[in-house]
Amino acid sequence: MPWSETPFAVPLLLAAVTGLLLAAYTLGRRERLDPPAVAAFVTVALATTVWTGAYTQQLAATTVAAKLAWTRVVWVGVALTAVGWPVFVLAYTGHRRVLRARALAALAALPALCVLAVWSANYRWLLLTPVDLHDVAGITVLEIAPGPLFVLFLCYSYALDVVAIGLLARAASTRRGTRRREAAALCLGSVLPLAASVASVAVLHPYPYVDATPMAFGVTIPLVAVVLFRYRPLSLVPVARTQLLEEMSDGLIVLNAAERVVDANATARALLGDGTGLIGRPAERALADHPALLDAMERPADGERSVVIERDGERRHYDVSVSVVRDSLGAVSGTLVSLRDITRRRELEQWYQSIVDRSTTIVAVTDAEGGLRYATPSFERTLGYDPGDIVGERVTDFIHPDDVPAFQSSLADANEHGTGALREVRVRDAEDGWHVIEGQARDLRDDPVIGGYLLSGHDVTARRRTEQRLQALNRVLRHDVRNELSVVQGYVSMARERVDDEEVREWLERAHSASEKLLDVSETSRYVDAELERDPEVARADVTGAVADAVAAVERTHPDVRVAVDAPESARADVTRLFEFAVEHLVRTAAEHAASAGEEVAVCVERTPSGVELRVRLGERWLSEGDERVLEQGEESPLAHADGLGFWIVHWAVTAADGTIAVAEDGRVVVLRLRDPDAS
C-alpha cells in the first residue's frame, strides 16, 4: 500500500503519543484520583490517540480504499472524544448528578449511531460519501460529501463543546488562585479543537478537505498534560482540600513571598469585605481597613494574636494564626494567615469573669499540699486580702487553730467522696478580725488543669451573729419573760382579792388579762419553736377531724358564738403537725370578731380534684392588711403587720405541706388549699 509524506505527521503523532502516555500515567495513579474524572479523561486521552494516529495514516494513504478504511478508525476516536470530553468537564466542574447511566447512554447514542453508519456500507451514505482524491499542496486528500447524519452529529458535538466551554469559563471566573488558572487552561484547551473544527468545515485554512481538529490536539493535549502535572486536578486530595478550605468556618488568607494576597477562602472574603479586591494586592493595601489584623500578623509567634473586626455593625473577636510556608529547599515561599472566630468563647470568658469578679462566694485553688495557687477577687471584698499577695501561702495559716481540724476533716471527706461536707471555720481577715466561713472542698488533684483542691465558701458571720441574737431573744421570751409573768400574775391575783376599790379592781383585772395573753404568746412560741426546729413532717390526715377538734376548742372558750361546719365525713390531705393549731387560730380569730358583731362563723370543707379546700368565712371583714400579707405572701411591711404569731403559724403550717392560702371577698374569707397526691 503506497504512502505519502505530509507536513502534519509530526504534530499528529506527537498528540497521539502524548495522549497515550497521559492515559497510562493516569491509570497508574488511579487509586489516588477521582474515579469519574479519571474514567472520562482516560477515554478522552485514548480517543485522541486513536483519532490523531488514524488521521495521520489517512492523510498518508494514497488510495480511496485506504483513506476510507482509516476514516472508519478516525470516527471511533471522534465519537469517543465527542462524549468523553463533556463528561470529563462535567466531572471536573462538579456536575456529577448528570453522570448517571441513563444520561450517559443518551449522550452517547448519536455518536454510537455515527460509528455504526461509517462501518456499515448500507448506512454509509447517511454520514458521508467519498467523491474523489485531490492533490492539495502536494498532499493527497479525500473529498467527502457530508450526509444528513454528519450534519446532525456536527451540530450535536458543537453544542456539547459550547456547554463544556461555558462550564469551564464559569469555573475560571468563580474560582481563586491556582484553581482559577487550572480551569482557564482547560477552557483554552477546549476552545482550540472547536475553533479548528469550525475553520475546517468553513474552509478557513489553505488546505481544503483537511480536518484541522486533530492537529489542534497537538496543542490541547500537551496543554492538558501541563495542567495535570502542575495542578493535579484529578487528585482527590487537592479537590477535597479546596472544598474543605472554601467551606471551613475559619478565614484563610495566603500571601506570597512578596507579601501579596494570592488567595483567600470564602470566610475571609466575606469577613474582610470586598473579597475580589483582596487577590493580587499587597497585604498592606488589601487589609488597610483592618490595621489591627495587620498588626497581629507582624507580632512574634509567642505574642497575643487576637483582633476585633467589625462587619455590618457587629463586632467579632478572632484569634490570628500566622504560619510561614517554605518550599522543598527551605526557602520562604509565602505566609498562611488563619482567622478563627472566638467571639462566643470571649463572651463566655467575659461573662464568667464578670461573675467571678462580682460574686460574694470565696473560691480558692490549692495544690495537693494546701498551698494557695489562685484566689478570686471576693477575697479582697470579704477578707481584705489582695488575691495576688496571698498566692503561695498555706490555707491553714488563715484558719483559726481551733477550726483547723474541721478544715482537715473536710479535705479528708473530699479525698474519700470527691466533695467534702459543709464545714464552718473561722478565717482571719487582713485586720486580724475573724470571719465565719461556711464552705467545702472538692478533690480535683486528678484534673489536669486544677491539680489540687477547689475550695469554696460564703461569709456567714452576719448570719451567725443574727442567729445568736435570735436565740438569746428566744430564750428570754420562752423562759425569762414567762417566769416573770407568772410572778406578776400571782401578785396581781393577791392584790385583786385584797382591794375593795372597784376601779382599782378593774385595773387589776385588765392587768391579769394582759399577762394571761402574754403567757399564752410565750407558750405558743415555745410550742411553735419546738415544732419548727424539727423537719416539717408531712403526712396524710383527716381534715374533717382536725376541723371538728378545732371548732370544739373554740366553742368551749366562746360559748356565745355559733360556728357552722359544712364538711364531708372524711377528707384527707397532706398536712403538718401545726395544721390543727393553725385551723384553731383561724376559727378563734373569726369567733372573736363574730362575738362583737353578733354573727356566726362558717367553716366549709370540700374535696377538690387536687385535694381538699378549707374555707373560714365571716359576714364582715375580720382580717387586716397585715394579716393578708402574712397569709398569702409570708411577709410583713412596716405599715402592715400581723397581730401576733398566729397568722405566721397558719402560713408555715400550710405552705410546708405544699398547700396554698388565699384571702377572698375583701378579707371576709380565708381559703386553705391542701394537697392530696392520691386525688384524681
Side-chain angles (χ1 to χ4, degrees):
M1 183 180 296
W3 302 93
S4 64
E5 295 183 1
T6 68
F8 306 114
V10 174
L12 288 175
L13 289 176
L14 178 61
V17 172
T18 304
L20 186 61
L21 292 176
L22 282 177
Y25 172 82
T26 304
L27 288 174
R29 299 174 178 266
R30 62 184 179 277
E31 293 83 3
R32 299 182 179 180
L33 306 180
D34 187 22
V38 165
F41 179 75
V42 169
T43 300
V44 172
L46 293 177
T48 55
T49 297
V50 172
W51 187 352
T52 54
Y55 195 62
T56 302
Q57 299 300 320
Q58 195 256 27
L59 288 177
T62 57
T63 65
V64 173
K67 287 185 178 292
L68 184 58
W70 284 109
T71 299
R72 292 172 176 172
V73 180
V74 166
W75 269 91
V76 173
V78 171
L80 289 174
T81 304
V83 176
W85 184 255
V87 171
F88 169 73
V89 172
L90 289 171
Y92 170 77
T93 55
H95 297 77
R96 295 171 183 259
R97 285 182 290 184
V98 182
L99 304 179
R100 297 177 180 175
R102 292 183 179 180
L104 292 177
L107 197 66
L110 182 59
L113 179 61
C114 292
V115 172
L116 289 176
V118 168
W119 284 81
S120 173
N122 295 330
Y123 295 96
R124 189 184 305 164
W125 63 271
L126 292 173
L127 188 64
L128 48 83
T129 303
V131 177
D132 199 358
L133 295 177
H134 295 276
D135 184 276
V136 178
I139 305 172
T140 303
V141 296
L142 178 66
E143 179 186 354
I144 296 177
L149 191 57
F150 176 83
V151 175
L152 179 60
F153 173 79
L154 198 64
C155 296
Y156 176 73
S157 63
Y158 283 178
L160 292 180
D161 287 341
V162 170
V163 171
I165 292 171
L167 293 175
L168 291 171
R170 180 181 178 184
S173 64
T174 57
R175 293 178 179 178
R176 297 291 182 272
T178 58
R179 296 286 284 169
R180 166 181 281 184
R181 293 191 289 274
E182 170 189 297
L186 292 177
C187 183
L188 177 60
S190 186
V191 168
L192 290 177
L194 177 61
S197 177
V198 172
S200 299
V201 172
V203 193
L204 299 178
H205 58 72
Y207 297 95
Y209 310 114
V210 174
D211 187 3
T213 306
M215 265 74 83
F217 284 114
V219 178
T220 295
I221 294 300
L223 181 62
V224 173
V226 171
V227 172
L228 292 179
F229 283 103
R230 182 170 182 179
Y231 303 119
R232 293 179 295 173
L234 302 185
S235 176
L236 283 173
V237 174
V239 172
R241 181 184 291 120
T242 299
Q243 183 174 359
L244 174 64
L245 295 180
E246 279 296 309
E247 295 179 358
M248 69 186 304
S249 58
D250 290 357
L252 295 177
I253 305 172
V254 181
L255 309 179
N256 62 13
E259 296 190 353
R260 285 182 175 270
V261 179
V262 295
D263 200 359
N265 70 349
T267 302
R269 297 194 301 271
L271 172 65
L272 301 176
D274 185 10
T276 58
L278 293 174
I279 310 302
R281 302 173 63 193
E284 291 187 358
R285 292 176 55 192
L287 305 176
D289 293 337
H290 306 282
L293 176 57
L294 286 172
D295 182 59
M297 291 165 55
E298 295 175 356
R299 294 177 197 166
D302 57 350
E304 178 69 18
R305 292 193 179 189
S306 62
V307 297
V308 177
I309 297 178
E310 187 168 345
R311 177 69 174 159
D312 297 331
E314 183 182 10
R315 292 168 57 86
R316 309 290 297 180
H317 295 264
Y318 291 88
D319 261 350
V320 182
S321 176
V322 180
S323 304
V324 176
V325 181
R326 299 181 183 275
D327 59 21
S328 58
L329 299 178
V332 176
S333 59
T335 306
L336 177 64
V337 181
S338 66
L339 301 170
R340 171 159 295 182
D341 191 338
I342 59 168
T343 304
R344 180 57 178 164
R345 189 184 77 189
R346 185 57 55 85
E347 289 175 348
L348 288 175
E349 289 175 353
Q350 294 173 349
W351 189 64
Y352 285 124
Q353 189 62 45
S354 179
I355 291 176
V356 170
D357 290 344
R358 291 168 173 78
S359 174
T360 58
T361 302
I362 296 175
V363 180
V365 177
T366 72
D367 56 27
E369 288 72 34
L372 274 171
R373 294 169 52 193
Y374 171 77
T376 58
S378 54
F379 265 79
E380 186 169 8
R381 291 192 297 272
T382 304
L383 301 174
Y385 296 113
D386 185 332
D389 293 340
I390 61 176
V391 170
E393 302 287 340
R394 295 187 60 83
V395 176
T396 52
D397 293 342
F398 298 92
I399 298 176
H400 194 284
D402 294 343
D403 296 340
V404 170
F407 172 72
Q408 293 175 338
S409 176
S410 181
L411 292 184
D413 288 346
N415 293 337
E416 183 176 356
H417 306 293
T419 302
L422 284 173
R423 296 284 196 280
E424 287 187 4
V425 296
R426 284 165 290 178
V427 179
R428 187 180 69 252
D429 62 22
E431 298 179 356
D432 292 330
W434 294 99
H435 291 249
V436 180
I437 305 297
E438 181 185 64
Q440 60 184 169
R442 292 191 63 189
D443 183 6
L444 298 176
R445 289 176 295 173
D446 295 335
D447 188 287
V449 178
I450 304 299
Y453 293 97
L454 178 66
L455 310 179
S456 60
H458 293 85
D459 188 352
V460 296
T461 307
R463 190 179 76 189
R464 287 291 172 262
R465 188 180 297 118
T466 300
E467 290 176 353
Q468 291 171 356
R469 292 172 180 172
L470 289 176
Q471 289 173 358
L473 292 173
N474 191 29
R475 185 180 65 253
V476 171
L477 178 64
R478 291 171 55 183
H479 299 284
D480 299 353
V481 172
R482 178 176 177 276
N483 294 336
E484 295 300 326
L485 281 175
S486 298
V487 173
V488 169
Q489 272 199 319
Y491 281 112
V492 169
S493 296
M494 289 187 294
R496 185 177 55 182
E497 293 175 357
R498 297 182 182 183
V499 172
D500 295 331
D501 190 325
E502 290 299 327
E503 186 176 7
V504 174
R505 184 186 294 275
E506 183 179 353
W507 294 345
L508 292 174
E509 286 288 350
R510 291 180 181 178
H512 191 273
S513 177
S515 64
E516 282 187 343
K517 288 184 178 181
L518 289 176
L519 279 174
D520 183 59
V521 170
S522 178
E523 287 296 328
T524 300
S525 67
R526 291 180 61 193
Y527 171 72
V528 172
D529 184 60
E531 291 295 328
L532 293 179
E533 281 186 352
R534 295 183 290 177
D535 291 334
E537 296 181 4
V538 179
R540 294 190 69 203
D542 184 10
V543 176
T544 299
V547 169
D549 293 342
V551 170
V554 172
E555 288 179 339
R556 286 194 296 270
T557 58
H558 296 77
D560 55 336
V561 177
R562 183 174 181 275
V563 181
V565 178
D566 180 11
E569 292 184 2
S570 177
R572 301 180 67 81
D574 285 351
V575 297
T576 62
R577 291 187 294 265
L578 291 174
F579 176 70
E580 186 173 335
F581 182 92
V583 175
E584 181 179 340
H585 176 76
L586 286 176
V587 177
R588 187 182 303 279
T589 304
E592 291 173 354
H593 284 77
S596 60
E599 297 184 1
E600 73 173 18
V601 179
V603 180
C604 177
V605 178
E606 182 181 353
R607 295 191 184 94
T608 65
S610 59
V612 176
E613 187 172 278
L614 168 63
R615 293 188 295 275
V616 179
R617 180 192 299 272
L618 197 62
E620 64 176 12
R621 182 182 182 90
W622 55 284
L623 295 172
S624 68
E625 182 181 347
D627 298 335
E628 293 184 19
R629 289 176 63 91
V630 169
L631 287 173
E632 294 185 321
Q633 305 174 29
E635 63 180 26
E636 294 181 334
S637 69
L639 299 178
H641 51 82
D643 183 13
L645 291 174
F647 290 110
W648 275 107
I649 297 172
V650 175
H651 177 81
W652 294 332
V654 175
T655 57
D658 290 337
T660 60
I661 306 175
V663 178
E665 299 182 17
D666 295 330
R668 293 195 296 270
V669 180
V670 175
V671 182
L672 308 184
R673 297 185 178 92
L674 309 174
R675 215 174 135 267
D676 181 9
D678 298 332
S680 59

